[in-house]
Amino acid sequence: LFPKSRAQQIEIVLRSLKLSCGELQTAIAAFDREKLPEDLLDKLSSIVPTEEEVQKVVRQVQASGPAALKNEAERFVHQIGAIPQLHRRIECWKICNTFHRNMESVQECLQRLRLAIQALVQGTEDGGLEPNHRFAGILGLILKLGNILNQNTRFGNATG
């Protein structure tokens, strides 16, 4: 039903997963992180059958029965393809697996931004904020330098 290379790809990955189709189906349906940790889920996502592949197998089984499935790849597609919203499940699962890492990265960026803002703005005794005069001086020097470099152009004599 599939090109030989596709069937081989599926069978190689299935062997590396060391789980039966039934175990895979149960693990996917239950989002079982112990049976399918992140690395195995990535391998599995590389062989998730397309709708077209699932339909081919379903038609074959309807026409000739389950015994008509010739190899492990076809049996895998038949069994795993029966899981509702399979592609979405696996994509959501992968997002869940990486969420905390991504969140930590975003939090680090936000912390750096917070520190940069604190360096640019000084707090006053009444809890208000006032500009950092050294920073304002640096910006003034940059403006003056820009005006010198852009002298006699339409960008020269900028104010700020």
Side-chain angles (χ1 to χ4, degrees):
L1 293 177
F2 311 121
K4 188 176 181 178
S5 61
R6 175 68 172 149
Q8 285 177 334
Q9 176 196 20
I10 292 171
E11 290 171 2
I12 289 168
V13 172
L14 285 175
R15 272 186 247 122
S16 74
L17 293 176
K18 297 179 181 165
L19 294 170
S20 70
C21 288
E23 290 173 318
L24 279 172
Q25 187 177 28
T26 303
I28 293 168
F31 291 100
D32 187 340
R33 288 185 178 157
E34 287 182 22
K35 284 194 176 179
L36 279 176
E38 192 172 344
D39 61 325
L40 295 184
L41 186 64
D42 287 340
K43 286 182 181 181
L44 177 63
S45 69
S46 71
I47 60 167
V48 171
T50 64
E51 270 304 309
E52 183 180 306
E53 290 172 330
V54 172
Q55 292 306 316
K56 278 184 184 178
V57 170
V58 167
R59 283 193 299 272
Q60 181 71 21
V61 169
Q62 287 173 343
S64 307
L69 301 176
K70 301 174 199 144
N71 55 43
E72 189 64 25
E74 292 174 3
R75 287 187 285 280
F76 165 79
V77 170
H78 183 253
Q79 196 157 4
I80 298 300
I83 298 172
Q85 311 259 339
L86 178 62
H87 285 277
R88 286 186 180 175
R89 277 179 184 266
I90 291 178
E91 286 307 308
C92 286
W93 197 351
K94 288 170 70 174
I95 290 169
C96 288
N97 284 342
T98 59
F99 179 79
H100 291 291
R101 264 195 317 271
N102 292 341
M103 188 64 177
E104 287 172 3
S105 174
V106 168
Q107 285 175 332
E108 288 173 14
C109 291
L110 287 174
Q111 181 61 24
R112 278 189 240 124
L113 179 62
R114 199 174 295 118
L115 291 173
I117 290 171
Q118 286 173 351
L120 297 176
V121 178
Q122 298 172 337
T124 61
E125 290 180 15
D126 65 354
L129 298 174
E130 68 179 41
N132 181 328
H133 295 292
R134 252 190 290 163
F135 182 67
I138 292 170
L139 289 178
L141 288 173
I142 293 171
L143 179 64
K144 286 179 184 177
L145 178 63
N147 282 335
I148 291 169
L149 293 173
N150 290 314
Q151 194 172 16
N152 299 326
T153 70
R154 65 185 177 111
F155 299 110
N157 299 323
T159 59

